[in-house]
Coordinates of all heavy atoms in Angstrom, one line a residue:
M1 N 6.8 -14.3 -9.7 CA 7.9 -13.9 -8.9 C 7.4 -13.1 -7.7 O 7.8 -13.2 -6.6 CB 8.9 -13.1 -9.7 CG 9.9 -13.9 -10.5 SD 10.7 -15.2 -9.5 CE 11.9 -14.2 -8.6
V2 N 6.5 -12.1 -8.0 CA 6.0 -11.2 -7.0 C 5.3 -12.1 -5.9 O 5.5 -11.9 -4.8 CB 5.0 -10.2 -7.6 CG1 4.3 -9.5 -6.5 CG2 5.8 -9.2 -8.5
T3 N 4.5 -13.0 -6.4 CA 3.8 -13.8 -5.5 C 4.7 -14.6 -4.5 O 4.4 -14.6 -3.3 CB 2.9 -14.9 -6.3 OG1 2.1 -14.2 -7.2 CG2 2.1 -15.7 -5.3
A4 N 5.8 -15.0 -5.0 CA 6.8 -15.8 -4.2 C 7.3 -14.9 -3.1 O 7.4 -15.3 -1.9 CB 7.9 -16.3 -5.0
V5 N 7.6 -13.6 -3.5 CA 8.1 -12.7 -2.5 C 7.1 -12.4 -1.4 O 7.3 -12.3 -0.2 CB 8.6 -11.4 -3.1 CG1 9.1 -10.4 -2.1 CG2 9.8 -11.7 -4.1
V6 N 5.8 -12.1 -1.9 CA 4.8 -11.8 -1.0 C 4.6 -13.0 0.0 O 4.4 -12.8 1.2 CB 3.5 -11.5 -1.8 CG1 2.3 -11.5 -0.8 CG2 3.6 -10.2 -2.5
E7 N 4.6 -14.2 -0.5 CA 4.4 -15.3 0.3 C 5.5 -15.4 1.4 O 5.3 -15.8 2.5 CB 4.4 -16.6 -0.5 CG 3.2 -16.8 -1.4 CD 1.9 -16.8 -0.6 OE1 1.9 -17.2 0.6 OE2 0.9 -16.5 -1.2
A8 N 6.8 -15.0 0.9 CA 7.9 -15.0 1.9 C 7.7 -14.0 3.0 O 8.0 -14.3 4.1 CB 9.2 -14.7 1.1
V9 N 7.2 -12.8 2.6 CA 7.0 -11.8 3.6 C 5.9 -12.2 4.6 O 6.0 -12.1 5.8 CB 6.6 -10.5 2.9 CG1 6.2 -9.4 4.0 CG2 7.8 -9.9 2.1
L10 N 4.8 -12.8 4.0 CA 3.7 -13.3 4.9 C 4.2 -14.4 5.8 O 3.8 -14.5 6.9 CB 2.5 -13.8 4.0 CG 1.8 -12.7 3.3 CD1 0.7 -13.3 2.4 CD2 1.2 -11.6 4.2
G11 N 5.2 -15.2 5.3 CA 5.7 -16.2 6.1 C 6.5 -15.6 7.3 O 6.5 -16.1 8.4
E12 N 7.3 -14.6 7.0 CA 8.0 -13.9 8.0 C 7.1 -13.3 9.1 O 7.3 -13.4 10.3 CB 8.8 -12.7 7.4 CG 10.0 -13.1 6.6 CD 11.0 -13.8 7.5 OE1 11.4 -13.3 8.5 OE2 11.4 -15.0 7.1
L13 N 6.0 -12.8 8.6 CA 5.0 -12.2 9.6 C 4.4 -13.3 10.4 O 4.3 -13.1 11.6 CB 3.8 -11.5 8.8 CG 4.2 -10.2 8.1 CD1 3.0 -9.7 7.3 CD2 4.5 -9.1 9.2
A14 N 4.1 -14.4 9.8 CA 3.6 -15.6 10.6 C 4.5 -16.0 11.6 O 4.1 -16.5 12.7 CB 3.2 -16.7 9.6
K15 N 5.8 -15.9 11.4 CA 6.8 -16.3 12.4 C 7.0 -15.3 13.5 O 7.8 -15.5 14.4 CB 8.2 -16.6 11.7 CG 8.2 -17.9 10.9 CD 9.6 -18.2 10.4 CE 9.9 -17.4 9.2 NZ 11.2 -17.7 8.5
G16 N 6.4 -14.2 13.4 CA 6.4 -13.2 14.5 C 7.0 -11.8 14.1 O 7.5 -11.1 15.0
G17 N 6.9 -11.5 12.9 CA 7.4 -10.1 12.5 C 8.5 -10.1 11.6 O 9.3 -11.1 11.5
I18 N 8.6 -9.0 10.8 CA 9.7 -8.9 9.8 C 11.1 -8.7 10.6 O 12.0 -9.4 10.3 CB 9.4 -7.7 8.9 CG1 8.1 -7.9 8.2 CG2 10.6 -7.4 8.0 CD1 7.7 -6.7 7.4
E19 N 11.1 -7.8 11.5 CA 12.2 -7.6 12.4 C 11.8 -7.6 13.8 O 10.7 -7.1 14.1 CB 12.9 -6.3 12.0 CG 13.6 -6.2 10.7 CD 14.2 -4.8 10.5 OE1 14.7 -4.2 11.4 OE2 14.1 -4.4 9.3
P20 N 12.6 -8.1 14.7 CA 12.2 -8.0 16.1 C 11.9 -6.6 16.5 O 12.7 -5.7 16.2 CB 13.4 -8.6 16.9 CG 14.2 -9.4 15.9 CD 13.9 -8.7 14.5
G21 N 10.8 -6.3 17.2 CA 10.5 -5.0 17.7 C 10.0 -4.1 16.6 O 9.7 -2.9 16.9
K22 N 9.8 -4.6 15.4 CA 9.2 -3.7 14.3 C 7.8 -4.2 14.0 O 7.5 -5.4 14.0 CB 10.1 -3.8 13.1 CG 11.5 -3.2 13.3 CD 11.5 -1.7 13.4 CE 12.9 -1.1 13.4 NZ 12.9 0.4 13.6
Y23 N 7.0 -3.3 13.6 CA 5.7 -3.6 13.2 C 5.3 -3.1 11.8 O 5.6 -1.9 11.5 CB 4.7 -3.0 14.2 CG 4.8 -3.4 15.6 CD1 5.8 -2.7 16.4 CD2 4.1 -4.4 16.1 CE1 6.0 -3.1 17.7 CE2 4.3 -4.8 17.4 CZ 5.2 -4.2 18.2 OH 5.4 -4.5 19.5
A24 N 4.7 -3.9 11.0 CA 4.2 -3.5 9.7 C 2.7 -3.3 10.0 O 2.1 -4.2 10.6 CB 4.5 -4.5 8.6
Y25 N 2.1 -2.2 9.5 CA 0.7 -2.0 9.7 C -0.1 -2.4 8.5 O 0.3 -2.3 7.3 CB 0.4 -0.5 9.9 CG 1.0 0.1 11.2 CD1 0.8 1.4 11.4 CD2 1.7 -0.7 12.1 CE1 1.4 2.0 12.6 CE2 2.3 -0.1 13.2 CZ 2.1 1.3 13.4 OH 2.6 1.9 14.5
V26 N -1.3 -2.9 8.7 CA -2.3 -3.2 7.7 C -3.6 -2.6 8.1 O -4.0 -2.6 9.3 CB -2.4 -4.7 7.4 CG1 -3.0 -5.5 8.5 CG2 -3.2 -5.0 6.1
K27 N -4.3 -2.1 7.1 CA -5.6 -1.5 7.4 C -6.8 -2.4 7.0 O -6.8 -3.0 5.9 CB -5.8 -0.2 6.6 CG -7.0 0.6 7.0 CD -7.0 2.0 6.2 CE -8.3 2.8 6.6 NZ -8.3 4.1 5.9
C28 N -7.7 -2.6 8.0 CA -8.8 -3.5 7.7 C -9.7 -2.9 6.7 O -10.2 -1.7 6.9 CB -9.6 -3.8 9.0 SG -11.1 -4.8 8.7
P29 N -10.0 -3.6 5.6 CA -10.9 -3.0 4.5 C -12.3 -2.9 5.0 O -13.1 -2.2 4.4 CB -10.8 -3.9 3.4 CG -10.3 -5.2 3.9 CD -9.5 -4.9 5.2
E30 N -12.7 -3.6 6.1 CA -14.0 -3.6 6.6 C -14.3 -2.5 7.5 O -15.2 -1.7 7.3 CB -14.3 -5.0 7.2 CG -15.7 -5.2 7.8 CD -16.7 -5.3 6.6 OE1 -16.3 -5.7 5.5 OE2 -17.9 -5.0 6.9
C31 N -13.5 -2.4 8.6 CA -13.8 -1.3 9.6 C -12.8 -0.2 9.6 O -12.9 0.7 10.4 CB -14.0 -2.0 11.0 SG -12.4 -2.6 11.7
G32 N -11.7 -0.4 8.9 CA -10.7 0.7 8.8 C -9.7 0.7 9.9 O -8.8 1.6 10.0
L33 N -9.7 -0.3 10.7 CA -8.7 -0.4 11.8 C -7.3 -0.7 11.3 O -7.1 -1.6 10.6 CB -9.1 -1.5 12.8 CG -8.2 -1.7 14.0 CD1 -8.3 -0.5 15.0 CD2 -8.5 -3.0 14.8
I34 N -6.4 0.2 11.7 CA -5.0 0.0 11.4 C -4.4 -0.9 12.5 O -4.5 -0.5 13.7 CB -4.3 1.3 11.3 CG1 -4.9 2.1 10.1 CG2 -2.8 1.1 11.1 CD1 -4.4 3.6 10.1
Q35 N -3.8 -2.0 12.1 CA -3.3 -2.9 13.1 C -2.1 -3.6 12.6 O -1.6 -3.4 11.5 CB -4.4 -3.9 13.4 CG -4.8 -4.7 12.1 CD -6.2 -5.3 12.3 OE1 -6.3 -6.3 13.0 NE2 -7.2 -4.7 11.8
D36 N -1.5 -4.4 13.5 CA -0.3 -5.2 13.2 C -0.6 -6.1 12.0 O -1.5 -6.9 12.0 CB 0.1 -6.0 14.4 CG 1.5 -6.6 14.3 OD1 1.9 -6.9 13.2 OD2 2.1 -6.8 15.4
A37 N 0.3 -6.0 11.0 CA 0.1 -6.8 9.8 C 0.3 -8.3 10.0 O 0.0 -9.1 9.1 CB 1.0 -6.4 8.6
A38 N 0.8 -8.7 11.2 CA 0.9 -10.1 11.5 C -0.4 -10.7 11.8 O -0.6 -11.9 11.9 CB 1.8 -10.2 12.7
N39 N -1.5 -9.9 12.1 CA -2.8 -10.4 12.3 C -3.4 -11.0 11.1 O -3.4 -10.4 10.0 CB -3.7 -9.2 12.8 CG -3.4 -8.7 14.1 OD1 -2.5 -9.2 14.8 ND2 -4.0 -7.6 14.5
A40 N -3.9 -12.2 11.3 CA -4.5 -12.9 10.1 C -6.0 -12.4 10.0 O -6.6 -12.4 8.9 CB -4.5 -14.4 10.4
H41 N -6.6 -12.0 11.1 CA -7.9 -11.5 11.1 C -8.0 -10.2 11.9 O -7.2 -10.0 12.8 CB -8.9 -12.5 11.8 CG -9.0 -13.8 11.0 ND1 -8.2 -14.8 11.2 CD2 -9.9 -14.1 10.0 CE1 -8.5 -15.8 10.4 NE2 -9.6 -15.4 9.7
C42 N -8.9 -9.3 11.5 CA -9.0 -8.0 12.1 C -9.2 -8.2 13.6 O -10.1 -9.0 14.0 CB -10.1 -7.2 11.5 SG -10.4 -5.6 12.3
A43 N -8.5 -7.4 14.4 CA -8.6 -7.5 15.9 C -10.0 -6.9 16.3 O -10.4 -7.2 17.4 CB -7.5 -6.7 16.5
R44 N -10.6 -6.1 15.5 CA -11.9 -5.5 15.9 C -13.1 -6.3 15.4 O -14.0 -6.6 16.1 CB -12.0 -4.1 15.6 CG -13.3 -3.4 15.9 CD -13.2 -1.9 16.1 NE -12.7 -1.3 14.8 CZ -12.3 0.0 14.8 NH1 -12.3 0.8 15.8 NH2 -12.0 0.5 13.6
C45 N -13.1 -6.5 14.0 CA -14.3 -7.0 13.4 C -14.1 -8.5 13.0 O -15.1 -9.1 12.5 CB -14.8 -6.1 12.3 SG -13.8 -6.2 10.8
G46 N -12.9 -9.0 13.0 CA -12.7 -10.4 12.6 C -12.6 -10.6 11.1 O -12.5 -11.7 10.7
H47 N -12.6 -9.5 10.4 CA -12.5 -9.6 8.9 C -11.2 -10.3 8.5 O -10.1 -10.1 9.1 CB -12.5 -8.2 8.3 CG -12.6 -8.2 6.8 ND1 -13.8 -8.4 6.1 CD2 -11.6 -8.1 5.9 CE1 -13.5 -8.3 4.8 NE2 -12.2 -8.1 4.6
D48 N -11.3 -11.2 7.5 CA -10.1 -11.9 7.1 C -9.1 -10.9 6.4 O -9.5 -10.3 5.4 CB -10.5 -13.0 6.1 CG -9.3 -13.9 5.7 OD1 -8.2 -13.5 6.0 OD2 -9.6 -15.0 5.2
L49 N -7.9 -10.8 6.9 CA -7.0 -9.8 6.4 C -6.1 -10.3 5.3 O -5.2 -9.6 4.8 CB -6.2 -9.1 7.5 CG -7.0 -8.4 8.6 CD1 -6.1 -7.9 9.7 CD2 -7.7 -7.2 7.9
T50 N -6.2 -11.6 5.0 CA -5.3 -12.2 4.0 C -5.2 -11.4 2.7 O -4.1 -11.1 2.3 CB -5.8 -13.6 3.7 OG1 -6.0 -14.4 4.9 CG2 -4.7 -14.4 2.8
E51 N -6.3 -11.0 2.1 CA -6.2 -10.3 0.9 C -5.6 -8.9 1.0 O -4.9 -8.5 0.2 CB -7.7 -10.2 0.3 CG -8.2 -11.5 -0.3 CD -7.2 -12.0 -1.4 OE1 -6.7 -11.3 -2.2 OE2 -6.9 -13.2 -1.3
A52 N -5.9 -8.3 2.1 CA -5.4 -6.9 2.4 C -3.9 -7.0 2.6 O -3.1 -6.2 2.0 CB -6.0 -6.3 3.6
R53 N -3.4 -8.0 3.3 CA -2.0 -8.1 3.5 C -1.3 -8.5 2.2 O -0.2 -8.0 1.8 CB -1.7 -9.2 4.5 CG -2.3 -8.9 5.9 CD -2.5 -10.2 6.7 NE -1.3 -10.8 7.2 CZ -1.2 -12.1 7.5 NH1 -2.2 -12.9 7.3 NH2 0.0 -12.5 7.9
R54 N -1.9 -9.4 1.4 CA -1.3 -9.8 0.2 C -1.2 -8.7 -0.8 O -0.2 -8.4 -1.4 CB -2.2 -10.9 -0.4 CG -1.6 -11.8 -1.4 CD -2.5 -12.9 -1.9 NE -2.9 -13.8 -0.8 CZ -2.2 -14.9 -0.5 NH1 -1.1 -15.2 -1.2 NH2 -2.5 -15.7 0.5
G55 N -2.3 -7.9 -0.9 CA -2.3 -6.7 -1.7 C -1.3 -5.7 -1.3 O -0.6 -5.1 -2.2
M56 N -1.2 -5.5 0.0 CA -0.3 -4.5 0.5 C 1.2 -4.8 0.1 O 1.9 -4.0 -0.4 CB -0.4 -4.4 2.0 CG 0.6 -3.4 2.6 SD 0.4 -3.2 4.4 CE 1.2 -4.6 5.0
F57 N 1.6 -6.1 0.4 CA 2.9 -6.5 0.1 C 3.2 -6.6 -1.4 O 4.3 -6.4 -1.8 CB 3.3 -7.8 0.9 CG 3.4 -7.5 2.3 CD1 2.5 -8.1 3.2 CD2 4.4 -6.8 2.8 CE1 2.6 -7.8 4.6 CE2 4.6 -6.5 4.2 CZ 3.6 -7.1 5.1
A58 N 2.2 -7.0 -2.1 CA 2.4 -7.0 -3.6 C 2.6 -5.6 -4.1 O 3.4 -5.4 -5.0 CB 1.1 -7.6 -4.2
T59 N 1.9 -4.6 -3.6 CA 2.1 -3.2 -4.0 C 3.5 -2.8 -3.7 O 4.2 -2.2 -4.5 CB 1.1 -2.3 -3.3 OG1 -0.2 -2.8 -3.6 CG2 1.3 -0.9 -3.7
Y60 N 4.0 -3.1 -2.5 CA 5.4 -2.7 -2.1 C 6.4 -3.3 -3.0 O 7.3 -2.7 -3.5 CB 5.7 -3.2 -0.7 CG 5.1 -2.3 0.4 CD1 4.3 -2.9 1.4 CD2 5.4 -1.0 0.4 CE1 3.8 -2.1 2.4 CE2 4.8 -0.2 1.4 CZ 4.0 -0.7 2.4 OH 3.5 0.1 3.4
E61 N 6.1 -4.6 -3.3 CA 7.1 -5.4 -4.2 C 7.1 -4.8 -5.6 O 8.2 -4.6 -6.2 CB 6.6 -6.8 -4.2 CG 7.6 -7.7 -5.1 CD 9.0 -7.7 -4.6 OE1 9.2 -7.4 -3.4 OE2 9.9 -7.9 -5.4
K62 N 5.9 -4.4 -6.1 CA 5.8 -3.8 -7.4 C 6.6 -2.5 -7.5 O 7.2 -2.1 -8.5 CB 4.4 -3.6 -7.8 CG 4.0 -4.3 -9.1 CD 2.5 -4.1 -9.4 CE 1.6 -5.2 -8.7 NZ 0.2 -5.0 -8.9
Q63 N 6.5 -1.7 -6.4 CA 7.1 -0.4 -6.3 C 8.6 -0.5 -6.0 O 9.4 0.4 -6.0 CB 6.4 0.5 -5.3 CG 5.0 0.8 -5.7 CD 4.2 1.5 -4.6 OE1 4.7 1.6 -3.5 NE2 3.1 2.1 -4.9
G64 N 9.0 -1.7 -5.6 CA 10.4 -2.0 -5.2 C 10.8 -1.3 -3.9 O 12.0 -1.0 -3.7
V65 N 9.8 -1.2 -3.0 CA 10.1 -0.6 -1.7 C 9.8 -1.6 -0.6 O 9.0 -2.5 -0.8 CB 9.4 0.7 -1.5 CG1 9.8 1.8 -2.5 CG2 7.9 0.5 -1.5
K66 N 10.4 -1.4 0.5 CA 10.1 -2.3 1.6 C 8.9 -1.7 2.4 O 8.7 -0.5 2.4 CB 11.3 -2.3 2.6 CG 12.5 -3.1 2.0 CD 13.4 -3.5 3.1 CE 14.7 -4.2 2.6 NZ 14.5 -5.3 1.7
P67 N 8.2 -2.6 3.1 CA 7.0 -2.1 3.9 C 7.6 -1.1 4.9 O 8.7 -1.3 5.4 CB 6.5 -3.4 4.5 CG 7.0 -4.5 3.7 CD 8.3 -4.0 3.1
T68 N 6.8 -0.1 5.2 CA 7.1 0.8 6.3 C 7.1 0.0 7.6 O 6.1 -0.6 8.0 CB 6.1 2.0 6.3 OG1 6.1 2.5 5.1 CG2 6.6 3.0 7.4
L69 N 8.2 0.1 8.3 CA 8.2 -0.6 9.6 C 8.2 0.5 10.7 O 8.9 1.4 10.7 CB 9.5 -1.4 9.8 CG 9.6 -2.6 8.8 CD1 10.9 -3.3 9.0 CD2 8.4 -3.5 8.9
H70 N 7.3 0.2 11.7 CA 7.1 1.1 12.8 C 7.7 0.5 14.0 O 7.7 -0.7 14.2 CB 5.6 1.4 13.0 CG 4.9 1.9 11.8 ND1 4.7 3.2 11.5 CD2 4.4 1.2 10.7 CE1 4.1 3.4 10.3 NE2 3.9 2.2 9.8
S71 N 8.2 1.3 14.9 CA 8.8 0.8 16.1 C 7.8 0.6 17.3 O 8.1 0.1 18.3 CB 9.9 1.7 16.6 OG 9.5 3.0 16.7
T72 N 6.6 1.1 17.0 CA 5.5 0.9 18.0 C 4.3 0.2 17.4 O 4.1 0.4 16.2 CB 5.1 2.3 18.6 OG1 4.7 3.1 17.5 CG2 6.2 2.9 19.4
P73 N 3.5 -0.5 18.2 CA 2.3 -1.1 17.6 C 1.3 0.0 17.3 O 1.4 1.1 17.8 CB 1.8 -1.9 18.8 CG 2.7 -1.9 19.9 CD 3.7 -0.8 19.6
P74 N 0.4 -0.3 16.4 CA -0.7 0.7 16.0 C -1.5 1.1 17.3 O -1.5 0.4 18.2 CB -1.5 0.0 15.0 CG -0.8 -1.3 14.6 CD 0.1 -1.6 15.7
P75 N -2.1 2.3 17.2 CA -2.9 2.7 18.3 C -4.1 1.7 18.6 O -4.5 1.0 17.6 CB -3.5 4.1 17.9 CG -3.1 4.3 16.5 CD -2.0 3.3 16.1
P76 N -4.5 1.6 19.8 CA -5.6 0.7 20.1 C -6.9 1.0 19.3 O -7.1 2.1 18.9 CB -5.8 0.9 21.6 CG -5.2 2.2 22.0 CD -4.1 2.4 21.0
A77 N -7.7 0.0 19.1 CA -8.9 0.1 18.3 C -9.8 1.2 18.9 O -10.5 1.9 18.1 CB -9.7 -1.2 18.3
S78 N -9.8 1.4 20.2 CA -10.7 2.4 20.8 C -10.3 3.8 20.4 O -11.1 4.7 20.5 CB -10.7 2.2 22.4 OG -9.3 2.4 22.8
K79 N -9.0 4.0 20.0 CA -8.5 5.3 19.6 C -8.7 5.5 18.1 O -8.4 6.6 17.6 CB -7.1 5.4 19.9 CG -6.8 5.4 21.4 CD -6.6 6.8 21.9 CE -6.0 6.8 23.3 NZ -7.0 6.5 24.3
Q80 N -9.2 4.5 17.4 CA -9.4 4.7 15.9 C -10.9 4.6 15.5 O -11.7 3.9 16.1 CB -8.7 3.5 15.2 CG -7.2 3.5 15.4 CD -6.5 2.5 14.5 OE1 -6.8 2.3 13.4 NE2 -5.6 1.7 15.1
P81 N -11.2 5.4 14.5 CA -12.6 5.5 14.1 C -13.0 4.1 13.5 O -12.2 3.5 12.8 CB -12.7 6.6 13.1 CG -11.3 6.7 12.6 CD -10.4 6.3 13.7
D82 N -14.3 3.8 13.6 CA -14.8 2.5 13.0 C -15.6 2.9 11.8 O -16.6 3.6 11.9 CB -15.7 1.8 14.0 CG -16.1 0.4 13.6 OD1 -16.1 0.2 12.3 OD2 -16.4 -0.4 14.4
L83 N -15.1 2.5 10.6 CA -15.7 2.9 9.4 C -17.1 2.3 9.2 O -17.9 2.8 8.4 CB -14.8 2.4 8.2 CG -13.5 3.1 8.1 CD1 -12.8 2.6 6.8 CD2 -13.5 4.6 8.1
R84 N -17.4 1.3 10.0 CA -18.8 0.7 9.9 C -19.8 1.6 10.6 O -21.0 1.5 10.4 CB -18.8 -0.7 10.5 CG -17.8 -1.6 9.8 CD -17.7 -2.9 10.6 NE -17.2 -2.6 11.9 CZ -17.1 -3.5 12.9 NH1 -17.5 -4.7 12.7 NH2 -16.6 -3.2 14.1
E85 N -19.4 2.5 11.5 CA -20.3 3.4 12.2 C -20.6 4.6 11.4 O -19.7 5.3 10.9 CB -19.7 3.8 13.6 CG -19.6 2.6 14.6 CD -18.9 3.0 15.8 OE1 -18.5 4.2 15.9 OE2 -18.7 2.2 16.7
K86 N -21.9 4.8 11.2 CA -22.2 6.0 10.4 C -22.8 7.1 11.3 O -23.5 6.8 12.3 CB -23.3 5.5 9.4 CG -22.7 4.7 8.3 CD -21.9 5.7 7.3 CE -21.4 4.9 6.1 NZ -20.2 4.3 6.3
Ligands
LIG1 ZN1 -12.0 -4.7 10.9

């Protein structure tokens, strides 16, 4: 059941967002960039975000809460630290 809901949410994202003008954020596990969850791949390092998105929405579903929707896009990559840089 959870999987079906997650797939539905990901389908919504693929169509251009959960709600018009709203953004769900997802964090890249590779470089730490917080970005629009509609991205299939990280905007900075190209990491495949499928698992991160799936995990995020599965967690929300398990907790019975909706993803946090933001009215603005995430800050640009240049304003966020790169976890790969030591
Ligand atoms: Zn990344």
